[in-house]
Amino acid sequence: MSSIELKSRAKINLSIDVLGKREDGYHLVEMIMQTIDLYDLIEINEKDNDQITIKSTSDEIPLDCNNLVYKAANLIKKTFNINKGVEIHIKKNIPVAAGMAGGSSNAAAVLVGLNKLWNLNLSNQQLEKIGLKLGADVPFCINGGAVLASGIGEELTPIKGLTKDVCILVCKPDLFVSTKEVYEGLDLQNIKNRPDNKFLIECLKKGNINLLATNMVNVLETVTSKMHEEIKDIEKVMLENNALGSMMSGSGPTVFGLFDKEEGALSAKGELLKKYNQVYVVRSSEKGVEVNGEFN
């Protein structure tokens, strides 16, 4: 019986702009995404029966057909008429419902894993196409790195990302934020401050992280931070401990800070741990899903 182990990485947004809304309800975005070295461990074991079973170390995620991992496995099974079953074990490290694409990343890992396990020989491009049916972030999570994402988030242009010498502090307060509510709360006609993505990409290219950090903008933060004062509170702690810049990721509630010195990140981590449980110091990653210790 075959099995495969995967690492599925989280992402942060270095910018988010919302440009409009399509008739089908999806929002048109332009944003910079970066994978980070905070990951879940996923083990897929092939079974003789035709069932998809999910187990996890986390009690915060569904273990049935509502989990994106289940949907990913089911989609592959149906698309390619596969009558084998799988047991998928998720060791959760990425905070749940955090604006860090944890679920999308897990789904991406299952697509990559089953492609290998069942010798489907699908290219990354084909996997991305399948992934898009599961969610707009899934195609990005397959390859990771840094990209400018446009459309509904599925049009990906690879760019130079953060270098390994940048320390990233991530803090997820114990809150639930509804992505749907955040987008609905955004007044598209009155967005005062938008990110200059061309400028930010240039900063990344030149390695000018200070300039990048002070010019990051997430238009969704104006909505989420009004609902939850913790967002500004976490940013304040990071900036007081010499973060070059601090911002909310995705629709929240996770906040991250960029540091050029690890001491500052560790000092801010110590402060934040007095109030919040999920605080991590990580680095960027140039890749997304890792299979049996090797990148996809």
Side-chain angles (χ1 to χ4, degrees):
M1 216 163 285
S2 308
S3 73
I4 197 163
E5 281 186 358
L6 306 115
K7 285 180 183 175
S8 105
R9 285 178 167 72
K11 63 90 181 156
I12 54 171
N13 292 91
L14 300 176
S15 74
I16 297 184
D17 199 0
V18 181
L19 307 174
K21 192 177 181 181
R22 298 197 318 192
E23 283 179 9
D24 61 5
Y26 276 103
H27 283 81
L28 295 166
V29 295
E30 189 181 83
M31 56 189 178
I32 296 174
M33 297 198 280
Q34 167 79 60
T35 32
I36 58 174
D37 222 13
L38 175 63
Y39 50 80
D40 292 339
L41 290 167
I42 294 187
E43 190 181 325
I44 306 175
N45 294 298
E46 201 174 61
K47 295 289 178 192
D48 287 334
N49 60 26
D50 199 17
Q51 305 300 308
I52 299 167
T53 315
I54 302 172
K55 295 182 174 178
S56 178
T57 53
S58 168
D59 54 12
E60 291 182 77
I61 61 171
L63 301 177
D64 57 13
C65 59
N66 294 307
N67 192 312
L68 265 188
V69 156
Y70 184 101
K71 291 176 182 176
N74 199 37
L75 186 57
I76 289 279
K77 271 169 62 64
K78 285 210 163 97
T79 307
F80 299 98
N81 296 318
I82 289 160
N83 53 12
K84 294 171 186 169
V86 282
E87 183 180 285
I88 302 167
H89 191 272
I90 307 166
K91 186 183 180 205
K92 264 286 172 202
N93 298 308
I94 303 170
V96 175
M100 299 180 79
S104 298
S105 170
N106 291 171
V110 167
L111 294 180
V112 170
L114 292 180
N115 184 35
K116 294 258 194 288
L117 201 61
W118 289 336
N119 300 313
L120 300 173
N121 300 315
L122 300 168
S123 67
N124 272 359
Q125 218 171 358
Q126 288 170 299
L127 284 174
E128 283 174 18
K129 215 171 168 183
I130 295 168
L132 187 57
K133 293 178 184 172
L134 299 163
D137 281 343
V138 178
F140 165 71
C141 292
I142 291 170
N143 295 305
V147 301
L148 176 71
S150 51
I152 59 167
E154 88 290 12
E155 293 168 27
L156 308 174
T157 308
I159 58 173
K160 186 180 184 297
L162 292 170
T163 49
K164 286 276 189 281
D165 56 349
V166 179
C167 237
I168 305 162
L169 178 63
V170 174
C171 176
K172 196 257 177 181
D174 195 13
L175 303 169
F176 173 75
V177 171
S178 158
T179 300
K180 191 170 177 286
E181 269 179 44
V182 172
Y183 272 96
E184 281 170 0
L186 188 65
D187 181 357
L188 287 170
Q189 309 310 315
N190 287 302
I191 297 174
K192 305 264 189 304
N193 187 19
R194 293 181 182 272
D196 182 344
N197 284 317
K198 274 188 184 146
F199 176 72
L200 295 175
I201 289 167
E202 204 54 35
C203 290
L204 284 163
K205 213 185 210 168
K206 291 177 176 167
N208 195 333
I209 302 308
N210 213 323
L211 211 48
L212 170 95
T214 48
N215 286 280
M216 299 185 298
V217 178
N218 177 351
V219 298
L220 300 176
E221 189 173 318
T222 54
V223 182
T224 312
S225 62
K226 275 185 194 139
M227 299 178 188
H228 304 288
E229 60 192 29
E230 289 91 336
I231 309 284
K232 292 291 176 210
D233 174 53
I234 296 166
E235 289 178 349
K236 187 168 174 277
V237 171
M238 290 190 183
L239 293 167
E240 281 170 354
N241 285 277
N242 301 318
L244 301 173
S246 179
M247 190 174 81
M248 184 182 86
S249 183
S251 53
T254 297
V255 173
F256 70 92
L258 301 181
F259 293 78
D260 56 359
K261 292 187 176 64
E262 196 172 31
E263 296 84 8
L266 292 171
S267 158
K269 180 183 177 180
E271 283 288 301
L272 290 167
L273 280 171
K274 293 172 188 172
K275 272 192 183 184
Y276 308 105
N277 296 321
Q278 294 178 295
V279 191
Y280 311 89
V281 176
V282 295
R283 305 277 170 165
S284 62
S285 173
E286 286 171 29
K287 299 281 185 181
V289 176
E290 196 176 314
V291 190
N292 292 340
E294 288 181 8
F295 284 114
N296 176 40

